[in-house]
Amino acid sequence: MKDVYRLAAGGYRGLNAVEGYVNSSGIPRGLLELVRIRASQINGCSVCTDMHSRRARAVGESDERLWSVAAWRDTPFFTDAERAALALTEATTRIADNSAGVADDSWDKAAAHFADEELAALVTAIASVNAWNRINVAARLSAGNFH
């Protein structure tokens, strides 16, 4: 269903409005793109994995960091704050894997690196990319078919 965004134009505009908020939240764009890539990898969304990798590269992310997002725990390429954001991304994206939702440890580590407003924006970014992922996967869109 390649025309899902045309058919659900109001939803598309709404998700884009959320993206506008997140992109202007003050969280570094590179970190936002890394979070988006990681959630998209987990969800199997080729559209978002491709698009956000390209956007991350455009804002200066290195090839090593992009290649290593899925293995962020085992590489030296990420700061403690980025690791906390990626852990929160994984916990939030895989929320059904923990009966308590996001574990306190994941939340506390992120909260140690981000102010309340930044943490709220980060959670919103994670929720938003998960929404995009689900639409793209459900509509069977593939890399190269993004707006």
Side-chain angles (χ1 to χ4, degrees), residues 15-93:
L15 285 172
N16 273 326
V18 172
E19 291 299 318
Y21 156 73
V22 168
N23 289 335
S24 67
S25 69
I27 296 175
R29 187 61 181 266
L31 176 57
L32 287 173
E33 298 304 339
L34 294 174
V35 162
R36 291 166 172 150
I37 292 165
R38 186 63 192 124
S40 300
Q41 290 171 331
I42 292 166
N43 290 324
C45 181
S46 67
V47 173
C48 289
T49 300
D50 179 54
M51 177 176 57
H52 293 296
S53 294
R54 292 172 188 274
R55 289 181 178 176
R57 191 74 174 95
V59 297
E61 287 297 336
S62 69
D63 288 339
E64 290 83 7
R65 285 167 53 92
L66 294 177
W67 296 332
S68 300
V69 173
W72 62 268
R73 287 177 181 84
D74 302 317
T75 66
F77 306 128
F78 302 98
T79 67
D80 289 343
E82 290 167 338
R83 290 175 187 282
L86 290 166
L88 183 63
T89 300
E90 289 183 358
T92 303
T93 300

Side-chain angles (χ1 to χ4, degrees), residues 21 25-27 114-124:
Y21 156 73
S25 69
I27 296 175
F114 299 96
D116 288 347
E117 294 81 12
E118 293 171 321
L119 193 53
L122 184 59
V123 169
T124 302

Side-chain angles (χ1 to χ4, degrees), residues 95-106:
I95 203 161
D97 292 349
N98 183 347
S99 62
V102 174
D104 289 342
D105 184 56
S106 293

